[in-house]
Amino acid sequence: MKKAAGAGSLLLVCLVVFGIIGVCQGGELRKNFYRDSCKSAEDIVRSITWKNAASNPDLPAKLIRMHFHDCFVRGCDASVLINSTAGNKAERDAVPNLSLGGFEVINEIKSELESRCPGIVSCADIVALATRDSVSFQFQKPDLWEVLTGRRDGSVSIAAEADLLLPSPFANFSELKKNFNDKGLTVKDLVVLSGGHTIGVSHCTFFSNRLYNFTGNGDQDPSLDPRYAAFLKTKCKSLADTTTTAELDPGSFRKFDSHYYDILIENKGLFQSDAALLTNKGARNIVMELRNQDKFFTEFAQSMKRMGAMNVLTGTQGEIRKKCNVTYQ
């Protein structure tokens, strides 16, 4: 790739802002990328996202999860939005993604943007912006974290890659650390981004083994608070329950805050991957620091920027889809 003028300055920004170089290798994301080509793009994304968040308080959790699942497979290229075809099972239909939601909001935003600025704004940027805006709605602030733009859309989406690459809710600390390290992210990013579990719910399928069959002998996970486990058993009555849901952050599952880290210290993290954060001294220390809400908000903003820059397509790479669920290459 030809080195552009000012590339040295860009590298410096990558080092200072992101802390690691790898996340900037995809190209030139920048602030206000659409200022000249579609001036109202970010306002349109925010307006439609806030309208939907007002009527659907679960939207922020859905979009955080969508953005995370997108970025961890082929980078932040909106490949998770692509529909399967007769000849290809896409990421969207991978087992970890079957419970994703919020697609209709992304489609609504894309439709409006195509009517105003056809062929300009990528679905990948829409996902990144709408995720930020949905969380920001609670605070009635437009920018809880900065989202750099200029991503382009990928044209490849393979379910098997999502099954392989997405961090598992059953993972131990070593597995999680490797998942994040492979993407150029740190243990700090792992602990901070796990804080996204401060909002949302999960189906029993993803944690009921901790209640009924943790080691394959009909036992309960000893690291789970016994009283909390007893409560969860009143909701998830067997390993066969695939429809019931439980709050990820009990009592605060629709409020974006640092409460997740409080319940984690109380051994009430819902997933094995949550509890795993306490099994490493360094990660546990970060958990303790993030109980300070201002600290959490600051660190979450930085980690979301790092994640949102992973392996992005820019320039002439990829495409700009007309519809987010269909690729044209």
Side-chain angles (χ1 to χ4, degrees), residues 130-148:
T131 299
R132 187 269 312 275
D133 293 340
S134 67
V135 177
S136 299
F137 175 74
Q138 170 188 321
F139 304 93
Q140 292 295 294
K141 293 181 179 179
D143 52 359
L144 201 58
W145 63 86
E146 184 178 61
V147 175
L148 303 181

Side-chain angles (χ1 to χ4, degrees), residues 92-155:
R92 188 167 173 169
D93 291 318
V95 171
N97 290 336
L98 293 177
S99 57
L100 288 182
F103 295 101
E104 71 288 347
V105 177
I106 302 302
N107 291 340
E108 181 182 351
I109 295 168
K110 180 61 172 174
S111 178
E112 179 63 22
L113 286 170
E114 284 298 305
S115 72
R116 303 275 196 99
C117 315
I120 298 297
V121 184
S122 70
C123 299
D125 276 342
I126 292 171
V127 171
L129 289 165
T131 299
R132 187 269 312 275
D133 293 340
S134 67
V135 177
S136 299
F137 175 74
Q138 170 188 321
F139 304 93
Q140 292 295 294
K141 293 181 179 179
D143 52 359
L144 201 58
W145 63 86
E146 184 178 61
V147 175
L148 303 181
T149 44
R151 299 167 188 79
R152 287 172 64 86
D153 300 323
S155 58

Side-chain angles (χ1 to χ4, degrees), residues 11 50 59 73 115 134 136 138 143 168 173 177 238 251 301 304 319 322:
L11 177 59
W50 279 26
L59 183 63
V73 183
S115 72
S134 67
S136 299
Q138 170 188 321
D143 52 359
S168 168
F173 182 79
K177 182 179 178 180
S238 75
M304 286 297 286
E319 63 182 351
K322 296 177 182 177

